Each structure stands twice: as structure tokens, then as C-alpha cells.
Amino acid sequence: MSSQPQSNSDLFAVADFCLIPMGTGHDPSVAEYIAECARILEKSGLKYQVRGYGTNLEGSWSAVSQAIHDCHAAVHAKGAPRIATDIRIGTRAEPRSDAVPDEGENEHKMRRVQDILGKDRVGSA
């Protein structure tokens, strides 16, 4: 999970964010900027997954917020004059009772959906 300690008052957060560099020139690709953000997330020690149109990020509220801030700073340093970011954050007051070791919140959600779809396939065969 995170290399940063989670304080007792800090919430566990799952964020989905889409960082959009703006004013980067004539090339519509932002891959170099997103790769820079991924480098920042890797160094953060948080569980994350970069996808085609956004990134999932898990950890303490303060660590997740700091990581998104650090991505902004790194993308600006790479030359993006403006950045727009959409962020959706969910929190959990208590740990899941069915938690699997080393499985993140997003992985758990995806596994549950796959389990349900698997039952649908078995029932329709």
C-alpha cells in the first residue's frame, strides 16, 4: 500500500482521476505527461492503475491528495501551462470484512463483478 503512514483520523480513500494537460502544442497526444504522472504515482508507494481515460488511486486521504498534487506539479514542470483534472473520491469508514491480502479496493470491486458475470454464464449454459 502506501509508504506514508495513515493517521488515525485519516480516511481510506479510493480516487478516480483524469488529469488533462492543456496548451501543450499541436500534438494531441498527452502520453508523455501521463507517463510523468505515473512515475510520480510509482514513487508514492500507493496502489494505482493507469487506464485509457483516467487513473485509480488508493490510500489515505492525505496521501492520495498529495499524489494528485504531485502529479500536477510534475506535469507543469514538464511544460504544460494548464491542467484540468476531474476527481471522484470514495471513502470507507471501516476496513472491509472480506478483504483479501494485497487486493486493492478497485481489484475487489472488479473481482465481485466478474464473479457475478461468471454465475450468469453458468446459469445460461
Side-chain angles (χ1 to χ4, degrees):
M1 289 263 194
S2 172
S3 60
Q4 299 176 358
Q6 182 172 334
S7 72
N8 291 338
S9 64
D10 213 352
L11 296 170
F12 176 79
V14 177
D16 181 60
F17 74 102
C18 180
L19 185 145
I20 307 160
M22 299 169 62
T24 58
H26 298 292
D27 185 358
S29 175
V30 294
E32 288 291 331
Y33 299 95
I34 302 310
E36 188 65 21
C37 181
R39 289 181 191 108
I40 297 299
L41 296 176
E42 186 65 33
K43 290 177 188 173
S44 76
L46 297 172
K47 184 175 271 293
Y48 73 96
Q49 181 181 21
V50 176
R51 299 170 291 104
Y53 286 95
T55 300
N56 292 129
L57 184 59
E58 302 179 29
S60 70
W61 179 282
S62 58
V64 165
S65 298
Q66 185 65 50
I68 294 171
H69 168 276
D70 293 349
C71 281
H72 268 250
V75 171
H76 278 305
K78 193 156 181 66
R82 293 176 51 217
I83 301 169
T85 299
D86 294 325
I87 305 171
R88 188 175 30 223
I89 300 176
T91 58
R92 182 175 284 281
E94 299 177 7
R96 286 191 336 259
S97 61
D98 61 345
V100 174
D102 296 324
E103 180 181 60
E105 189 70 19
N106 287 311
E107 291 168 317
H108 171 74
K109 290 177 183 182
M110 292 303 299
R111 182 174 53 81
R112 288 283 301 128
V113 170
Q114 293 301 322
D115 289 348
I116 292 166
L117 292 174
K119 289 176 186 173
D120 289 353
R121 288 186 198 102
V122 170
S124 66

